[in-house]
Amino acid sequence: MSYDLVIKNGSVIDGSGAPAFHADLGIVDGKIAMIGRISDKSAETIDAEGHVVAPGFVDAHTHMDAQVFWDPLGTCSCYHGITSVVMGNCGFTLAPCAKEHSELAVRNLERAEDISPKAMEAGIDWTWETYPDYLDAVEAQPKGINYAGYIGHSALRTYVMGERAFTEQATDDELAAMCQNVQEAVRAGAIGFSTSRIHQLYTDEPVASSVAEWKEVRAIVNAMSDTGAGMFELAGEQTYRDPDLKDDWFGRQLELAVESGVPYSWGLISGKAEPQDWRAYLELLDDVAAAGGRMFAQVHSRALNSLVSFESHTPFDSWDHWRELRALPLEEQMVKLRDPAIKAKLVDIATDPGGKAFPNHWGAMVSQPPNWDKVRIMDTVEGEHRRMSEVAKERGVPPAELMIDLALEHDLKLFFRTSAANEDDGDVLAMMRHPHTVVTFSDSGAHVGQIMDASLQTHMFSHWVRKKEAFTLEEAVRMVSFEPASRWGLHDRGLLRMGLAADVVVFDPETIGGNMPTVEHDLPAGEMRLKQTAKGIKETVVNGQVLLRNNEHTGAFPGQVLRGPLAGSNT
């Protein structure tokens, strides 16, 4: 037998959780054709001696709906062994939406997911109206990795209701139209329906989906259920530490999960306001399972970090004195930051704004500097990262002065890290270990100027396998491949089995991990983003073709649109 690609001499970890074994992998026409000892000819051979051969990783929580039109590789996900992603989470999609009304869909994405409207305007050729049209448009793009997608509630509402979607409830006819659109989308291959009950616009008004009453969400989910396919994903409601609100919210979720019968998922973190509240949500998962429903939480492998630097954003960009400085090119900023008089003015206002309030990066007015106890110096990828307050005390300077000094020592390239959630590694581990959670929550494609979590899968191996020894290699591979693939219905992915799609990652377990993020201006219209590559990954194979070799693109674009089970049927 002749093979298109053979991966030889590797340690195969097949995604099932079974122990590793030494074998070769033979690939023909994008499928795994043989697992064993292979001596037949092959058009291409990868020597995986000393490396793990695993299924490609799956990231089921991304917002790459816009990025797919200007970034054919699928960065930064592709750099971290990810071969398939699910986009359209939290109700934010670009379809359904006609081109002449694109501002409505862009408005939701700009605020809720911090995606540059300039990049979207410059990078998207808007050729669709319905969600099936959108999937066809993605299909036509060159793609490095595979994409599945939800139809999003916010785009759906604005498509049916126009501007009223941001302020009013749907009429019966409008709700019927939304239900019909979701059914059509699922029959065309949408993986399901997503919504948000919590996100807001820059005006502090809710996004379109957050305006809807729960009965609208319930009707749409049950209409999707009537097709026999589709899953439901949501960003949940704020319960404001009110036990009655929480009981009501949990009760509605359990009821909908059981009555609809669809797989049902949401993100879970350990928040600062209620650091142990996640335990109640795990109990909800157990309760739903006991009642016969299918509900699971998406969890992260580390703290959710916001990164700032002089190359991207600082907390003081709009503050007096800082505003003028930050408008200058970085080289000129460095000169002025070394001027003692200018530096003193910057430090003074950053230490005590004198009751003045200034807009932050998200448009909210702030009148206090950051809590420096929570800001850490990200001088290495893995850490431990020291607190700004501690180092400032040691040096005998105000934290704002320390920020300037450290930044200058690193040519303004140093990042300062603030954790928004998951600060306790013990909490993170407990959430990952629960039987009804899945490690997948990167938000890739969103918040690209402040968050870089596409590396959560490589972090599993560098931190939880290698450093903490909390999981075996086999457990970690299963957690980032088979488990998300099976939960999201990608049944030909996430396992190395004969006949399944040949999505494969070849990596060195001793070195796999993220590199230090960098600031790049490579989005359309020159917009800025954070970029993070990885080390220790030898090859990334998508549908039988080598996409990346040592994280360098081979020129291939083997990615596909992964459509749901009803695609092409008349159901």
Side-chain angles (χ1 to χ4, degrees):
M1 184 176 185
S2 180
Y3 296 95
D4 299 326
L5 175 65
V6 170
I7 304 173
K8 296 185 69 69
N9 306 320
S11 178
V12 175
I13 297 180
D14 65 10
S16 70
F21 58 94
H22 289 279
D24 306 328
L25 212 68
I27 297 168
V28 176
D29 294 333
K31 304 288 185 182
I32 299 171
M34 178 62 68
I35 301 175
R37 292 300 178 195
I38 298 175
S39 56
D40 294 328
K41 293 181 179 179
S42 135
E44 185 176 3
T45 300
I46 293 172
D47 184 1
E49 180 73 36
H51 289 72
V52 168
V53 179
F57 308 150
V58 177
D59 188 347
H61 193 114
T62 79
H63 294 277
M64 299 172 78
D65 310 66
Q67 180 181 329
V68 68
F69 292 100
W70 64 70
D71 177 9
L73 267 183
T75 61
C76 294
S77 297
C78 66
Y79 297 134
H80 297 273
I82 296 161
T83 56
S84 298
V85 300
V86 179
M87 55 188 179
N89 284 271
C90 306
F92 304 122
T93 56
L94 296 177
C97 182
K99 181 177 182 178
E100 58 267 27
H101 300 128
S102 60
E103 183 274 332
L104 296 176
V106 166
R107 191 189 309 175
N108 288 309
L109 283 166
E110 175 191 6
R111 171 59 182 98
E113 301 304 336
D114 198 23
I115 300 174
S116 165
K118 292 181 181 178
M120 286 190 275
E121 181 180 0
I124 297 174
D125 180 14
W126 206 291
T127 61
W128 61 87
E129 178 171 336
T130 68
Y131 195 84
D133 294 340
Y134 172 79
L135 285 181
D136 291 342
V138 176
E139 189 89 69
Q141 298 296 310
K143 294 174 291 297
I145 60 177
N146 305 308
Y147 295 86
Y150 298 102
I151 179 172
H153 195 184
S154 283
L156 178 65
R157 267 193 135 237
T158 54
Y159 180 65
V160 172
M161 300 174 62
E163 286 281 356
R164 291 178 47 252
F166 293 99
T167 56
E168 298 181 22
Q169 298 307 311
T171 66
D172 290 345
D173 288 345
E174 287 168 338
L175 179 54
M178 284 189 263
C179 291
Q180 181 180 351
N181 270 271
V182 168
Q183 290 177 331
E184 290 175 352
V186 170
R187 291 187 178 111
I191 204 168
F193 166 70
S194 69
T195 192
S196 170
R197 310 288 296 162
I198 196 171
H199 287 86
Q200 292 182 319
L201 300 169
Y202 271 123
T203 58
D204 288 332
E205 296 169 343
V207 296
S209 64
S210 295
V211 176
E213 294 177 345
W214 181 250
K215 65 181 181 181
E216 177 178 310
V217 176
R218 181 179 175 183
I220 295 172
V221 172
N222 281 319
M224 178 178 68
S225 175
D226 289 343
T227 69
M231 67 174 293
F232 176 45
E233 188 274 342
L234 84 162
E237 293 183 9
Q238 174 62 263
T239 58
Y240 304 101
R241 288 179 272 185
D242 184 320
D244 293 333
L245 288 177
K246 182 177 293 182
D247 287 346
D248 174 69
W249 173 230
F250 281 15
R252 282 182 282 133
Q253 289 197 80
L254 189 152
E255 181 182 31
L256 181 55
V258 173
E259 76 177 11
S260 69
V262 303
Y264 187 132
S265 184
W266 32 260
L268 180 62
I269 57 175
S270 171
K272 292 181 178 180
E274 298 178 271
Q276 295 302 307
D277 194 45
W278 55 273
R279 298 184 187 276
Y281 284 84
L282 294 183
E283 291 174 4
L284 171 62
L285 298 177
D286 294 333
D287 291 343
V288 171
R294 290 184 286 172
M295 181 182 285
F296 53 95
Q298 306 154 43
V299 299
H300 212 292
S301 65
R302 65 178 180 214
L304 275 69
N305 297 314
S306 175
L307 307 183
V308 300
S309 77
F310 277 83
E311 281 195 313
S312 55
H313 308 288
T314 78
F316 310 110
D317 287 352
S318 67
W319 291 37
D320 291 348
H321 309 304
W322 287 81
R323 189 166 50 249
E324 294 77 16
L325 172 85
R326 298 291 289 145
L328 299 173
L330 282 176
E331 290 294 330
E332 293 183 36
Q333 289 186 46
M334 280 197 279
V335 173
K336 290 189 177 296
L337 287 168
R338 291 189 173 99
D339 183 312
I342 293 174
K343 179 180 173 182
K345 288 183 179 181
L346 297 171
V347 172
D348 286 347
I349 188 71
T351 303
D352 181 8
K356 291 185 177 181
F358 305 97
N360 66 9
H361 178 59
W362 301 276
M365 301 301 291
V366 294
S367 57
Q368 294 293 329
N371 180 348
W372 295 107
D373 285 338
K374 300 293 186 181
V375 181
R376 294 177 180 268
I377 304 163
M378 191 175 171
D379 48 358
T380 64
V381 175
E382 181 69 20
E384 304 288 332
H385 300 137
R386 299 196 64 193
R387 298 179 189 272
M388 286 284 289
S389 56
E390 296 173 352
V391 179
K393 185 176 181 180
E394 289 176 3
R395 294 196 182 189
V397 297
E401 183 173 347
L402 175 67
M403 186 181 79
I404 293 172
D405 292 343
L406 291 174
L408 287 170
E409 289 171 17
H410 293 80
D411 296 326
L412 301 189
K413 295 182 181 297
L414 181 66
F415 285 108
F416 301 91
R417 173 177 71 82
T418 303
S419 297
N422 283 9
E423 293 182 282
D424 188 313
D425 248 7
D427 292 349
V428 174
L429 182 59
M431 286 186 278
M432 290 194 295
R433 286 195 183 281
H434 193 275
H436 301 306
T437 64
V438 182
V439 179
T440 180
F441 202 178
S442 77
D443 256 4
S444 287
H447 313 293
V448 295
Q450 55 185 315
I451 293 175
M452 179 36 64
D453 284 344
S455 57
L456 76 85
Q457 283 82 4
T458 45
H459 184 77
M460 278 290 297
F461 296 98
S462 64
H463 184 76
W464 291 111
V465 174
R466 199 162 62 236
K467 183 177 180 179
K468 295 294 187 180
E469 299 183 344
F471 298 106
T472 65
L473 271 171
E474 291 86 350
E475 288 171 331
V477 167
R478 177 185 169 98
M479 291 166 74
V480 298
S481 59
F482 174 72
E483 289 186 6
S486 60
R487 293 280 195 175
W488 270 264
L490 309 179
H491 298 304
D492 60 343
R493 316 278 158 172
L495 279 173
L496 299 182
R497 291 283 190 274
M498 291 175 61
L500 297 189
D503 291 348
V504 186
V505 58
V506 180
F507 67 89
D508 180 353
E510 298 302 319
T511 60
I512 186 172
N515 290 318
M516 181 65 76
T518 59
V519 175
E520 308 292 340
H521 290 266
D522 60 357
L523 294 183
E527 292 290 277
M528 184 272 294
R529 69 162 176 161
L530 302 182
K531 179 179 178 179
Q532 186 180 27
T533 59
K535 55 182 175 288
I537 298 181
K538 190 173 187 290
E539 274 92 8
T540 301
V541 178
V542 179
N543 295 310
Q545 297 183 49
V546 180
L547 172 68
L548 299 174
R549 183 172 287 114
N550 296 319
N551 254 329
E552 294 294 330
H553 186 213
T554 63
F557 289 105
Q560 301 175 1
V561 171
L562 305 181
R563 297 181 186 252
L566 300 185
S569 74
N570 295 316
T571 303

